[in-house]
Amino acid sequence: MSDEPRACCAPARDAGGGPVPDVPAPEPTRAGAGAARPGAWCELDGGPFLMGSDSGPYPADGEGPVREVRLDPFGIAATAVTNAEFAAFTEATGHRTDAERFGWSFVFAGFLPDDFPPTRAAVGTPWWRQVFDADWRRPEGPHSSVAERADHPVVHVSYDDARAYCAWAGVRLPAEAEWEYAARGGLSGEPYPWGGERDPGGAYRMNIWRGSFPDRNTAADGYRGTCPVDAFAPNGYGLFNTTGNVWEWCADPFGPGTRALRGGSHLCHESYCLRYRTSARMGNTPDSSSGNTGFRVARAAA
């Protein structure tokens, strides 16, 4: 399997074919020291585990080699941050996301109306369209809203937006090693949080693209877009949707000028993006945002 361009998964802001405005990153705004994040926490013991995979399909992603990593105890949220939780943050702080400051974000073309005006596509991946006024409140652009998606993961958030939320809530982004340890749910060497088979016994365990990409999504798993953050069964540690649904920002650098993302998304399909696995990773610039990128948070051991 060839190494695919990462923009197919979650495009970089500078992939739109035009200049990127020189806008400084926002400073995190703290509103209430140690503000608690709503929702369940998973307290994990840490210790040694085998991280990575020697059989990742995209060598440039750097999944391997498999190596032993030792972690201190830590806590991690059972779910990705929801629209309701992010709304509480923006209401308390007035934070404007990078998508709002730039005035646009990337939206999957299949979610746009047939009469949507032509806009730029991400270079090499025409299914990603630059949509003005698309942001976390309006995931598919001005014609959309999150009114019925309070329990879905917030999307169109950049790494910088995620850090600002963490500063307000008194939490942090997980390190990649923490994220993978938690996503594996106590299993070793398996590609999925539940084991080695993607759809065990024909049962769907995550929200990914079903059908032929990018023209036909059967939504056989129940969802064409994002799903609630606690949809599907949790893994052995009690975490939900660590593969599929939305990409999740981590604290680590991925490469020069980029930060790591984990977990894949509802737009991943084996024909072009087999990254809905516990060891899969990709990188993007800290100001980038798209309709399939969110985050979950971590903290020191309770």
Side-chain angles (χ1 to χ4, degrees):
M1 190 176 293
S2 63
D3 187 29
E4 299 288 344
R6 293 188 189 94
C8 66
C9 304
R13 185 165 291 281
D14 60 4
V20 177
D22 183 14
V23 182
E27 291 294 326
T29 303
R30 191 162 185 130
R37 175 193 176 276
W41 285 90
C42 300
E43 300 296 336
L44 305 181
D45 293 336
F49 85 106
L50 294 178
M51 181 176 179
S53 171
D54 291 328
S55 58
Y58 313 115
D61 285 359
E63 293 182 41
V66 174
R67 64 276 189 198
E68 183 176 278
V69 175
R70 182 175 293 273
L71 294 173
D72 292 330
F74 67 100
I76 189 166
T79 66
V81 172
T82 66
N83 284 313
E85 291 166 346
F86 200 77
F89 158 62
T90 60
E91 289 167 7
T93 66
H95 178 83
R96 295 179 68 231
T97 61
D98 279 330
E100 291 170 290
R101 296 187 309 110
F102 280 98
W104 64 274
S105 190
F106 281 111
V107 175
F108 180 69
F111 295 150
L112 300 176
D114 292 340
D115 61 351
F116 194 81
T119 56
R120 291 183 298 175
V123 175
T125 53
W127 47 82
W128 283 116
R129 295 271 298 280
Q130 181 189 39
V131 175
F132 293 97
D133 296 324
D135 54 50
W136 75 270
R137 292 184 180 88
R138 298 167 293 185
E140 292 81 51
H143 64 282
S144 65
S145 80
V146 294
E148 304 300 322
R149 289 180 264 183
D151 60 348
H152 285 225
V154 65
V155 293
H156 293 293
V157 287
S158 68
Y159 170 82
D160 293 325
D161 297 326
R163 284 178 55 233
Y165 176 95
C166 288
W168 169 76
V171 294
R172 59 177 174 80
L173 291 175
E176 275 198 87
E178 292 174 328
W179 189 97
E180 184 171 327
Y181 173 90
R184 289 184 177 277
L187 301 181
S188 180
E190 300 289 5
Y192 305 112
W194 50 87
E197 189 178 352
R198 189 187 71 179
D199 303 321
Y204 298 127
R205 300 294 299 272
M206 61 179 161
N207 178 20
I208 58 175
W209 187 281
R210 311 280 179 173
S212 59
F213 187 88
D215 58 317
R216 186 176 68 92
N217 185 353
T218 67
D221 54 28
Y223 304 95
R224 288 188 68 243
T226 59
C227 67
V229 295
D230 59 355
F232 303 98
N235 70 7
Y237 287 156
L239 279 75
F240 294 85
N241 293 335
T242 55
T243 54
N245 212 24
V246 295
W247 283 100
E248 298 180 6
W249 289 106
C250 288
D252 304 51
F254 181 86
T258 62
R259 292 285 171 172
L261 288 152
R262 287 300 199 115
S265 82
H266 62 91
L267 293 175
C268 285
H269 185 269
E270 69 260 19
S271 67
Y272 85 104
C273 182
L274 187 56
R275 292 184 174 93
Y276 44 78
R277 298 170 292 107
T278 52
S279 60
R281 60 196 298 263
M282 64 166 283
N284 212 341
T285 56
D287 62 352
S288 291
S289 62
S290 61
N292 65 340
T293 303
F295 67 106
R296 80 176 65 214
V297 299
R299 68 184 183 190

